[in-house]
Amino acid sequence: QVQLAEAGGGLVQPGGSLRLSCAASGSIFSIYSMAWHRQAPGKQRELVAVITNGGYTNYADSVKGRFTVSRDNAQNKMYLQMNSLKPDDTAVYYCFVRATVRGTVGLGNYWGQGTQVTVSS
């Protein structure tokens, strides 16, 4: 119903930058919100940043001032600009979307496959 494709992960040195992207496709009627979550080895998945269709954003305290989430509503895409990266940012980053799908009622939750971000010297 909704497919999410993430891109942009990789290996970066501490202090470096990366830009993640998430493209949503499928039988989408409307996207309500898009978000990035991450999961580090041995830790629970956590919310990193969220952006609604109205442009409201919210961030985890650990990334405020360093990460910026944005979206292109026309193309159903979301981005995460990550600056001043730290080793603690190392994790698999997942795209998450709440959307309505044509032919169904109500909001559904959809996850991408994840993209690895490794911050290491």
Side-chain angles (χ1 to χ4, degrees):
Q1 292 176 322
V2 177
Q3 294 79 45
L4 301 176
E6 300 121 328
L11 173 64
V12 64
Q13 291 187 341
S17 298
L18 281 175
R19 187 185 192 222
L20 305 183
S21 65
C22 172
S25 62
S27 303
I28 299 169
F29 180 75
S30 179
I31 293 178
Y32 172 67
S33 64
M34 304 182 80
W36 290 99
H37 294 247
R38 68 185 181 186
Q39 187 166 19
K43 295 187 178 181
Q44 290 188 331
R45 192 172 296 190
E46 63 175 354
L47 175 66
V48 176
V50 61
I51 183 166
T52 68
N53 57 1
Y56 168 81
T57 60
N58 198 24
Y59 298 89
D61 288 342
S62 60
V63 307
K64 282 180 181 176
R66 300 188 298 122
F67 291 10
T68 302
V69 63
S70 60
R71 67 188 270 185
D72 181 336
N73 289 335
Q75 297 194 33
N76 290 334
K77 288 184 176 180
M78 175 178 61
Y79 305 94
L80 185 68
Q81 178 65 43
M82 305 186 293
N83 298 328
S84 302
L85 282 161
K86 305 174 182 180
D88 284 349
D89 295 318
T90 296
V92 178
Y93 285 70
Y94 297 91
C95 176
F96 172 80
V97 167
R98 295 202 73 200
T100 54
V101 174
R102 291 185 176 88
T104 65
V105 177
L107 284 167
N109 297 329
Y110 303 92
W111 289 94
Q113 293 296 311
T115 184
Q116 176 70 46
V117 172
T118 302
V119 184
S120 175
S121 55

